[in-house]
Amino acid sequence: SKFTSKPTLTQISATEAVLTYPCSSSFTDTNVSHVNVTYRLNAPPDSRNAWITKTVTLIGQGSVDVGIVAPLASMTFSTYAKPTAFVMHSHEGPNNPYGVLDVFAAARYSADGGFRSVVAVPTNPFSNATASTTASGVATMSLVYNMTTSNIPLPYSLDAMAIGIVSLLPAKAYLPYTTETSAHNNERQLVADIADSMRTFSKLHQTRVHVDWTEDAYQLDVATESGFAEYDRVLRACQRLNITHAVSSPRNGDLGTRANA
């Protein structure tokens, strides 16, 4: 009832396609005219893994309120390959070597004499993963965004879900595949490859970042002449040291008070 007709498929390139769903008047927000779901194949040359990213974009005029949204990854398995779905962590212990991409969902199943896992990874650190299975062999994995935004200008793209398939062999790396005890090494590697692909910096070049918390920059008000001059002095000092990026945290009295920050 949310869509007026079946979606149309548009192939953008050999590795990218878009499904367009026209929305009906009963859609959650009437400003949204249609929803685009973009699928993109990612196969980095320096990785043995490949995965698909799924991105939902709301198209329309004006603005939209976005609450908890869950792009689904639902798969039906044959009777002999009924899945077992879990929500797991890519690391063990207090240290996370893969950065913010930690929680992921996995639907494990047996096929062709071996074990495989369909892995769904959220690409937003403020999201969580859910996983469930039915007796008929349907595994559903989704993302839940733990935040609410309002008056977001359209079009608006939600954060993507990355979906990949890995082998669970050799068995000694994970046994048995139907028990949630630990992530398989291959599942962890896929999560690491997905996180690595989203880096905004190059491994070949050093990036210097200054964190202005060391100057207690939150006490500076750049809306005042003295505060602006002091923060300008900090940035010029960074420039002299060849620091190209900075975390900026001063307050701006023209936009809000420190108490409401």
Side-chain angles (χ1 to χ4, degrees):
S1 62
K2 302 298 182 182
F3 304 107
T4 57
S5 61
K6 292 182 179 180
T8 57
L9 175 64
T10 304
Q11 185 168 346
I12 307 300
S13 66
T15 59
E16 185 174 355
V18 178
L19 280 173
T20 300
Y21 295 83
C23 296
S24 68
S25 59
S26 63
F27 195 76
T28 304
D29 196 304
T30 55
N31 287 341
V32 179
S33 60
H34 56 283
V35 175
N36 284 351
V37 183
T38 303
Y39 295 89
R40 182 178 294 110
L41 174 64
N42 300 268
D46 56 347
S47 172
R48 67 179 182 180
N49 291 313
W51 59 90
I52 292 174
T53 56
K54 176 182 179 180
T55 306
V56 176
T57 303
L58 307 179
I59 308 295
Q61 299 292 326
S63 62
V64 65
D65 295 339
V66 179
I68 298 177
V69 184
L72 298 179
S74 181
M75 291 144 286
T76 301
F77 296 75
S78 58
T79 303
Y80 73 91
K82 288 184 178 180
T84 304
F86 303 108
V87 173
M88 294 184 296
H89 293 264
S90 59
H91 74 286
E92 295 177 356
N95 297 317
N96 179 7
Y98 305 137
V100 297
L101 297 188
D102 171 32
V103 177
F104 68 94
R108 295 171 175 158
Y109 64 99
S110 60
D112 302 325
F115 303 128
R116 293 189 178 90
S117 176
V118 179
V119 179
V121 183
T123 61
N124 184 323
F126 298 103
S127 60
N128 204 348
T130 65
S132 62
T133 51
T134 65
S136 59
V138 177
T140 299
M141 295 177 287
S142 63
L143 305 185
V144 177
Y145 298 103
N146 299 321
M147 56 185 177
T148 301
T149 55
S150 59
N151 295 322
I152 300 298
L154 293 170
Y156 178 69
S157 293
L158 306 175
D159 296 284
M161 167 189 276
I163 308 168
I165 301 177
V166 295
S167 169
L168 294 184
L169 297 176
K172 63 181 180 180
Y174 180 85
L175 184 70
Y177 85 98
T178 56
T179 305
E180 183 188 6
T181 57
S182 175
H184 189 283
N185 290 344
N186 293 345
E187 292 171 327
R188 294 181 182 181
Q189 187 59 52
L190 175 60
V191 175
D193 289 347
I194 292 172
D196 193 56
S197 71
M198 292 188 292
R199 287 183 293 104
T200 58
F201 60 90
S202 171
K203 291 180 179 179
L204 303 178
H205 303 284
Q206 184 185 62
T207 300
R208 293 184 173 186
V209 180
H210 175 68
V211 181
D212 66 10
W213 302 339
T214 55
E215 291 93 20
D216 289 338
Y218 72 93
Q219 299 187 58
L220 299 177
D221 187 351
V222 295
T224 66
E225 183 176 351
S226 60
F228 183 89
E230 183 66 16
Y231 198 68
D232 181 68
R233 185 187 66 80
V234 172
L235 296 181
R236 290 183 183 277
C238 292
Q239 185 180 33
R240 291 194 297 271
L241 296 172
N242 295 321
I243 298 175
T244 56
H245 296 72
V247 175
S248 180
S249 64
R251 55 194 172 96
N252 188 329
D254 289 341
L255 300 179
T257 64
R258 178 177 170 182
N260 294 329

